[in-house]
Amino acid sequence: MLKNVTEYYYPGSLAEASELHDRESRSFFISGGTALALSDSTRPVELIDISRLGLNKLKLDRASGNLKIGATTKIQRIVESEAARSVLGGFLSESLEEIGSYPVRNAGTLGGSLVRPFPWSDVIPILSVLETEVTYFHEGDKKTREFSKLYESDFRSTLNRSIITELSISLPEKGNAAAKFIKFSRSEFDVAALNLACRLTVEDGNISEARLSIGARPMTGERIEKVENDLVGEKLTGNLAKEAAIFAADVTDLGGNDKLSKEYREQLVKKMTEEAIVDIKREVANES
Ligand SMILES: Cc1cc2nc3c(=O)[nH]c(=O)nc-3n(C[C@H](O)[C@H](O)[C@H](O)COP(=O)(O)OP(=O)(O)OC[C@H]3O[C@@H](n4cnc5c(N)ncnc54)[C@H](O)[C@@H]3O)c2cc1C
């Protein structure tokens, strides 16, 4: 818990929130407060509460084929929403339900999990395999950025000074697409010791698009593009799943920590990649 909060603001607008943040003091935006509560810093801080700015809309825009999620939307609300269930046969809601416990999901927001993500974050691999765009407020303007470019080093300082306002997830337009999220943890409520998300689109019998993202490596989640590139153009078979799994274990940058050794993670990457692809194959076959 932050031990020295000197001021707590409720700004009335994004512009006001941003101005408060720009001042010399050490200040943080606060939404659900679940991640900030983990800090035990004694340094003085000011908190700028953005939870009353109306950034909690959750809407499926069928015309544009996008699911729009306001940044301060509670994770549990997304899990329970009909609109979210329409993303890839329930992939989004089912995978977000793997996050922490009900109280954490009921207080924590989607936007709050993005700016300073934990390396074991489940949200990063989940959103990485979807077509996700992030809208943020910076220096008086709203701008958008692809989720896959959110953590590029030259964007870091902009991200740290921005208010994330909305996420937009495009629903797949063509082909048969399916996705799978797998989390390995030591107990039901523990954070991931390794997590993996995969999405494949099959058109005319071959994979036309592939996304694979692995987190808690123990480093923050990232896409494994070498595997993605290898999958595109191939027929979705059990044998391909096996080959991709071996390749993923070989090319993914993994390490060891107090939860798991590097060697254990390699075995898990192999097993989880194969399982994800085989499950997707089954789902795609049922759709066609
Ligand atoms: C006990 C526990 C278990 C957890 N388990 C998991 C798990 O299994 N898997 C997983 O993926 N995550 C897990 N989490 C992380 C959880 O999902 C995040 O703590 C939560 O989503 C953060 O949202 P918040 O609104 O509470 O953020 P806050 O605590 O309010 O803010 C977090 C950070 O983001 C900044 N911020 C917040 N909102 C915005 C915004 N809109 N724009 C810009 N900056 C913003 C804040 O300044 C702060 O730096 C766990 C957390 C806890 C406490």
Side-chain angles (χ1 to χ4, degrees):
M1 184 67 78
L2 289 168
K3 295 199 170 65
N4 194 358
V5 177
T6 55
E7 302 288 342
Y8 196 100
Y9 298 104
Y10 285 104
S13 66
L14 284 168
E16 193 189 334
S18 187
E19 258 171 52
L20 286 163
H21 193 254
D22 279 346
R23 299 176 329 161
E24 292 295 295
S25 54
R26 190 163 177 264
S27 53
F28 290 96
F29 299 120
I30 180 165
S31 192
T34 59
L36 282 173
L38 297 176
S39 164
D40 57 2
S41 169
T42 51
R43 290 172 62 193
V45 293
E46 294 183 359
L47 295 180
I48 305 156
D49 195 316
I50 55 167
S51 65
R52 298 181 182 179
L53 296 178
L55 305 173
N56 60 348
K57 302 207 168 53
L58 176 55
K59 194 175 127 208
L60 181 63
D61 182 351
R62 288 202 187 272
S64 66
N66 287 311
L67 176 70
K68 308 262 187 195
I69 306 174
T72 62
T73 308
K74 308 287 184 194
I75 292 171
Q76 184 61 25
R77 193 170 146 229
I78 307 169
V79 168
E80 290 172 11
S81 101
E82 274 304 320
R85 266 187 217 133
S86 63
V87 176
L88 288 165
F91 164 76
L92 182 63
S93 27
E94 282 165 24
S95 48
L96 290 180
E97 197 168 12
E98 299 276 323
I99 290 177
S101 57
Y102 183 88
V104 169
R105 294 193 300 273
N106 212 25
T109 65
L110 196 59
S113 62
L114 295 185
V115 172
R116 293 172 190 85
F118 295 104
W120 39 260
S121 165
D122 298 319
V123 176
I124 303 296
I126 294 167
L127 293 182
S128 298
V129 300
L130 297 169
E131 296 294 339
T132 310
E133 240 183 26
V134 179
T135 304
Y136 60 97
F137 185 84
H138 180 68
E139 294 181 345
D141 284 325
K142 272 193 187 174
K143 297 174 188 162
T144 55
R145 193 168 176 95
E146 273 176 45
F147 183 76
S148 56
K149 296 187 172 158
L150 201 62
Y151 302 109
E152 287 180 350
S153 52
D154 60 352
F155 189 65
R156 220 340 111 206
S157 73
T158 306
L159 180 62
N160 284 340
R161 287 180 289 114
S162 298
I163 303 171
I164 296 183
T165 59
E166 189 179 77
L167 285 95
S168 172
I169 297 171
S170 307
L171 308 181
E173 283 171 2
K174 46 188 182 167
N176 282 341
K180 177 87 185 165
F181 173 70
I182 306 175
K183 173 174 179 171
F184 180 87
S185 57
R186 293 188 295 195
S187 70
E188 195 186 339
F189 296 132
D190 197 4
V191 299
L194 193 89
N195 50 25
L196 176 149
C198 182
R199 171 172 68 93
L200 300 176
T201 305
V202 176
E203 278 178 86
D204 303 327
N206 290 332
I207 297 171
S208 58
E209 220 193 331
R211 293 267 177 108
L212 176 71
S213 179
I214 301 180
R217 299 171 290 119
M219 299 77 83
T220 314
E222 68 172 18
R223 278 175 58 191
I224 315 299
E225 289 182 19
K226 285 184 178 160
V227 178
E228 295 178 355
N229 294 339
D230 245 40
L231 286 166
V232 171
E234 299 293 326
K235 242 187 189 17
L236 183 50
T237 62
N239 214 27
L240 179 74
K242 276 195 181 21
E243 283 169 18
I246 294 168
F247 190 44
D250 190 32
V251 298
T252 305
D253 187 12
L254 298 168
N257 65 356
D258 56 340
K259 283 194 190 292
L260 291 179
S261 67
K262 181 177 178 203
E263 292 70 31
Y264 202 111
R265 280 197 169 85
E266 274 166 12
Q267 291 306 314
L268 279 179
V269 166
K270 200 163 128 193
K271 187 177 176 309
M272 285 158 65
T273 305
E274 182 174 351
E275 187 184 326
I277 297 177
V278 167
D279 274 11
I280 290 171
K281 176 178 170 283
R282 198 173 303 127
E283 210 171 303
V284 166
N286 287 342
E287 277 175 27
S288 46

